[in-house]
């Protein structure tokens, strides 16, 4: 059994990782979790760990700092990195420091995690076991598709022979990956990645001038060599559209695209790769399964969106958490700024705020398209507004929709937490150490808040609920087994048979012995 340490400052991510799969069945044991790198190091110094799953961005000590410290260990554990879509620079640094692989947080599903652990078993832990006496498999040539994906991630140094002429770097992302991934089982390599690459290779103009590879189950990269200087803009967009149509037709996958500006030589490759990813992140303003290229007119840039997000960070945070007071004061500042601008500039700021809102929803595993029944192209929607007053009115309505939606989602998520809490109680009622605090910690809620919410939703306190579960289970054991009373007492979480007897009689109106008779 391999020991696993989860390192992430986000409680929800830690809980998700713990509960996503049956770790024991896969040969792994969750030894502990930590909220930052320093806490993780303190644990590892006293406990053997085989696999560390760590976030990149954390307080006190981030993922890069943790990797740097782990490199000082005589026996460094395997490290699996968690990242966001905009963290490829950090992922490359992580590989440089010895990380084994990475998982995209937004694409984290049972299937992706199982597939990753299977790959770790075959490629990482198998290597650590040394010689097994079996005949070594012959070394096979690595296909260009794999080399390209590895170079993009920093797993492999750049090969100058790939970049002998001008090129574009294009990124592709499967839409709603967390929903569609279940169709492809546990072996993403065979069931998803390989078919995606093979279908791309069947398109003549892609096969003749492009290299297409995967950087993950949900994300792909293509090197488009420019052999048509006068027409490459239209031709590259046309090739991307044809690829997306093929994947839609044969695999029922919707795919969005981000295209970089031209690059030259290996020195430009990583910059163009990141540029393609940044352009891909602007897709939310156009709708799903769209192509975002550098030649579009009258669109906002990634840098404009990023800067606007920094400028109005308090407004965005208030919208996400439902802070009416903060939103009210920040809206006044926003509209004061907008009325000082030309209408076109004000509309661009509006678009940047919408895109930032989409990013934050995506970071929360949510989707801005869920706000409305129909898909919206925000360039068209905002473009139709004929003045500052109508822009202000529309933005006010949009902010209200966002806050109402987030409030509903928060209620739903917290209701889901109560369901998980009750399941946790049912799985652990036999443990005498089960407490309100341990259940609250499991679902990631403050103990006092959890206690209040539990009482409100269940109509009884946590303590009374746990007692009722234990006594009901005790009654079932008396009806269906020949266990002695003290054995039943221990089986339902009571160390003292006397205390168990008093509680049972109080709740059932009869002693355990009388109930059995």
């Amino acid at each position: 059994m391999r020991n696993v340490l989860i390192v992430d400052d986000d409680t929800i991510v830690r809980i998700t990782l713990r509960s996503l799969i049956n770790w024991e069945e896969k040969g792994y044991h969750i030894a502990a979790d930590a909220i930052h790198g320093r806490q993780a190091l303190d644990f590892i110094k006293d406990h053997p760990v085989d696999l560390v799953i760590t976030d990149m961005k954390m307080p006190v000590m981030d993922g890069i700092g943790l990797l740097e410290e782990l490199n000082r260990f005589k026996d460094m554990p395997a490290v699996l990195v968690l990242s966001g879509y905009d963290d490829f620079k950090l992922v490359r640094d992580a590989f440089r420091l010895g990380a084994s692989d990475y998982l995209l947080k937004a694409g984290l599903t049972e299937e992706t995690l199982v597939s990753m652990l299977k790959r770790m078993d075959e490629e990482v832990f198998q290597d650590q076991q040394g010689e097994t006496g079996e005949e070594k498999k012959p070394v096979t040539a690595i296909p260009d598709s794999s080399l390209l994906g590895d170079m993009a991630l920093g797993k492999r140094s750049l090969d100058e022979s790939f970049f002998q002429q001008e090129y574009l770097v294009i990124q592709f992302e499967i839409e709603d990956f967390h929903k569609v991934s279940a169709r492809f089982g546990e072996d993403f390599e065979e069931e998803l990645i390989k078919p995606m690459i093979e279908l791309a290779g069947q398109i003549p103009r892609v096969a003749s001038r492009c290299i297409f590879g995967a950087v993950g189950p949900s994300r792909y990269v293509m090197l488009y060599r420019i052999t048509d200087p006068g027409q490459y803009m239209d031709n590259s967009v046309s090739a991307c559209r044809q690829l997306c149509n093929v994947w839609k037709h044969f695999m029922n996958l919707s795919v969005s695209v981000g295209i970089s500006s031209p690059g030259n030589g290996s020195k430009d490759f990583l910059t163009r790769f990141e540029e393609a990813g940044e352009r891909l992140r602007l897709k939310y303003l156009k709708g799903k399964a769209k192509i975002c290229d550098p030649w579009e007119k009258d669109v906002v840039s990634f840098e404009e969106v990023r800067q606007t997000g920094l400028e109005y960070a308090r407004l965005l945070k208030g919208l996400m958490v439902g802070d009416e007071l903060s939103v009210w004061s920040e809206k006044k500042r926003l509209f004061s700024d907008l009325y000082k601008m030309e209408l076109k500039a004000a509309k661009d700021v509006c678009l940047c705020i919408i895109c930032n809102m989409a990013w934050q929803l995506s970071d929360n595993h949510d989707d801005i398209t869920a706000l409305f029944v129909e898909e919206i192209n925000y360039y068209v929607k905002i473009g139709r507004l004929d003045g500052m007053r109508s822009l202000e009115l529309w933005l006010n309505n949009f902010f209200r929709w966002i806050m109402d939606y987030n409030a509903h989602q928060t209620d739903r998520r917290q209701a889901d937490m109560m369901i998980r809490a009750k399941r946790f109680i049912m799985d652990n009622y036999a443990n005498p150490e089960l407490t309100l605090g341990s259940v609250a910690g499991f679902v990631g809620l403050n103990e006092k808040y959890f206690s209040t919410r539990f009482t409100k939703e269940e109509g009884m306190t946590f303590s009374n609920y746990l007692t009722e579960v234990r006594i009901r289970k005790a009654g079932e054991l008396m009806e269906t087994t020949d266990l002695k009373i003290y054995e039943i007492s221990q089986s339902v979480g009571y160390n003292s048979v006397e205390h168990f007897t008093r509680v049972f009689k109080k709740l059932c109106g009869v002693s355990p012995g009388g109930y059995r008779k």
Side-chain angles (χ1 to χ4, degrees):
M1 194 72 68
R2 298 188 179 100
N3 287 325
V4 181
L5 174 66
I6 297 171
V7 192
D8 199 303
D9 61 321
D10 188 329
T11 303
I12 301 300
V13 173
R14 296 199 307 275
I15 292 170
T16 299
L17 280 168
R18 277 182 170 272
S19 58
L20 203 56
I21 63 171
N22 186 327
W23 288 87
E24 307 285 330
E25 281 186 0
K26 306 299 178 186
Y28 292 83
H29 167 69
I30 303 295
D33 51 41
I35 61 174
H36 52 67
R38 178 57 55 194
Q39 192 178 75
L41 284 173
D42 290 342
F43 179 85
I44 294 171
K45 286 173 183 176
D46 297 322
H47 305 85
V49 171
D50 301 291
L51 174 62
V52 175
I53 302 178
T54 181
D55 190 18
M56 285 281 88
K57 298 175 180 178
M58 298 178 290
V60 184
M61 179 185 284
D62 62 13
I64 295 298
L66 174 58
L67 273 161
E68 288 173 340
E69 291 298 320
L70 289 177
N71 269 276
R72 305 178 195 275
F73 283 48
K74 182 181 177 182
D75 296 312
M76 178 180 171
V79 178
L80 188 57
V81 168
L82 295 171
S83 76
Y85 282 142
D86 56 346
D87 293 342
F88 282 113
K89 278 185 179 178
L90 292 175
V91 171
R92 284 200 291 272
D93 287 341
F95 280 122
R96 178 177 54 80
L97 290 167
S100 300
D101 218 322
Y102 85 106
L103 279 169
L104 285 173
K105 279 189 175 183
L108 190 58
T109 65
E110 178 182 355
E111 290 76 18
T112 55
L113 185 54
V114 168
S115 179
M116 178 59 69
L117 292 178
K118 181 180 178 182
R119 190 153 71 244
M120 297 285 287
D121 286 339
E122 295 172 351
E123 299 177 6
V124 178
F125 294 116
Q126 190 66 36
D127 290 343
Q128 292 176 359
Q129 291 171 6
E131 294 293 332
T132 62
E134 296 179 7
E135 186 178 339
K136 285 188 176 181
K137 294 181 180 178
V139 176
T140 55
I142 301 173
D144 286 350
S145 59
S146 297
L147 292 174
L148 180 66
D150 286 352
M151 286 190 287
L153 287 171
K155 285 184 176 181
R156 193 180 301 273
S157 57
L158 299 178
D159 184 343
E160 191 65 48
S161 67
F162 274 64
F163 312 102
Q164 295 297 311
Q165 62 195 88
E166 256 197 318
Y167 57 83
L168 305 173
V169 179
I170 305 174
Q171 286 202 40
F172 301 83
E173 180 190 347
I174 297 175
E175 295 282 7
D176 299 320
F177 183 73
H178 62 289
K179 295 178 182 177
V180 303
S181 60
R183 299 192 341 236
F184 299 96
E186 296 181 1
D187 193 348
F188 281 142
E189 188 65 39
E190 287 296 318
E191 302 298 327
L192 174 59
I193 295 174
K194 192 174 178 181
M196 289 279 286
I197 295 173
E198 287 177 347
L199 282 170
Q202 291 174 20
I203 298 175
R205 57 177 164 175
V206 172
S208 64
R209 72 175 57 153
C210 303
I211 301 173
F212 184 89
V215 293
S218 63
R219 186 69 71 102
Y220 298 80
V221 60
M222 185 166 77
L223 189 73
Y224 181 99
R225 294 185 174 117
I226 297 176
T227 59
D228 45 359
Q231 298 177 300
Y232 75 89
M233 296 184 222
D234 290 339
N235 288 347
S236 60
V237 172
S238 174
C240 290
R241 190 170 289 116
Q242 187 176 2
L243 275 168
C244 292
N245 288 338
V246 166
W247 290 323
K248 183 66 177 177
H249 180 73
F250 289 102
M251 300 180 72
N252 194 24
L253 292 173
S254 295
V255 179
S256 291
V257 185
I259 305 176
S260 79
S261 54
N264 205 332
S266 61
K267 67 183 188 307
D268 287 348
F269 174 65
L270 295 179
T271 304
R272 295 294 177 264
F273 175 73
E274 286 160 12
E275 181 191 335
E278 290 173 352
R279 194 154 281 116
L280 182 54
R281 295 198 77 207
L282 301 175
K283 64 177 184 173
Y284 300 102
L285 294 174
K286 299 176 74 175
K288 290 187 175 181
K290 298 295 191 293
I291 298 172
C292 302
D293 64 66
W295 313 291
E296 294 176 284
K297 295 180 180 178
D298 299 321
V299 296
V300 294
S301 70
F302 178 85
E303 188 57 29
E304 285 177 303
V305 176
R306 192 183 72 82
Q307 288 294 339
T308 303
L310 295 174
E311 176 69 22
Y312 297 103
R314 286 192 63 199
L315 171 62
L316 293 165
K317 183 178 179 181
L319 290 167
M320 286 299 294
V321 301
D323 184 344
E324 296 267 4
L325 189 60
S326 177
V327 169
W328 181 76
S329 62
E330 288 299 306
K331 273 199 312 183
K332 287 182 64 177
R333 182 169 76 89
L334 169 65
F335 290 130
S336 174
D337 293 343
L338 293 181
Y339 272 97
K340 296 173 186 175
M341 302 177 188
E342 295 290 333
L343 182 59
K344 171 65 168 64
K347 287 182 176 182
D348 284 350
V349 170
C350 178
L351 288 165
C352 289
I353 287 174
I354 293 168
C355 195
N356 272 286
M357 202 72 252
W359 291 353
Q360 295 208 14
L361 286 167
S362 178
D363 288 343
N364 280 1
H365 307 290
D366 217 326
D367 190 344
I368 196 168
T369 60
L371 278 170
F372 308 103
V373 176
E374 296 181 356
E375 187 175 293
I376 294 178
N377 183 319
Y378 288 97
Y379 286 114
V380 175
K381 174 67 72 173
I382 301 302
R384 287 174 178 162
L385 301 176
D386 57 5
M388 281 301 306
R389 185 71 188 94
S390 57
L391 181 63
E392 179 183 2
L393 182 63
W394 189 91
L395 262 183
N396 267 316
N397 287 333
F398 179 77
F399 291 158
R400 174 48 56 194
W401 292 324
I402 287 283
M403 292 183 73
D404 288 347
Y405 177 77
N406 281 333
H408 172 73
Q409 293 299 89
T410 298
D411 288 343
R412 181 183 60 77
R413 280 193 287 267
Q414 290 179 346
D416 290 344
M417 285 181 180
M418 291 300 118
I419 293 171
R420 289 212 312 274
K422 289 188 285 185
R423 286 176 181 163
F424 187 73
I425 292 169
M426 294 304 294
D427 290 340
N428 295 276
Y429 68 86
N431 181 0
E433 305 300 320
L434 185 66
T435 64
L436 171 68
S438 61
V439 180
F442 174 76
V443 297
L445 294 178
N446 170 275
E447 187 173 328
K448 185 176 180 181
Y449 175 80
F450 173 73
S451 176
T452 302
R453 189 173 183 90
F454 191 95
T455 302
K456 181 179 178 182
E457 293 200 9
E458 298 305 319
M460 66 176 75
T461 65
F462 167 82
S463 177
N464 288 343
Y465 183 89
L466 177 57
T467 299
E468 188 167 311
V469 168
R470 284 171 165 166
I471 297 305
R472 282 184 180 179
K473 290 294 180 182
E476 289 177 13
L477 290 173
M478 289 178 199
E479 294 168 11
T480 59
T481 74
D482 294 326
L483 291 172
K484 293 180 172 57
I485 298 300
Y486 79 86
E487 292 174 322
I488 290 174
S489 169
Q490 292 174 347
S491 297
V492 297
Y494 290 96
N495 286 329
S496 166
V497 69
E498 291 81 9
H499 179 52
F500 166 70
T501 300
R502 286 196 301 272
V503 172
F504 191 97
K505 187 171 183 178
K506 181 179 180 181
L507 203 63
C508 300
V510 62
S511 68
Y515 183 90
R516 171 163 273 175
K517 289 177 183 177

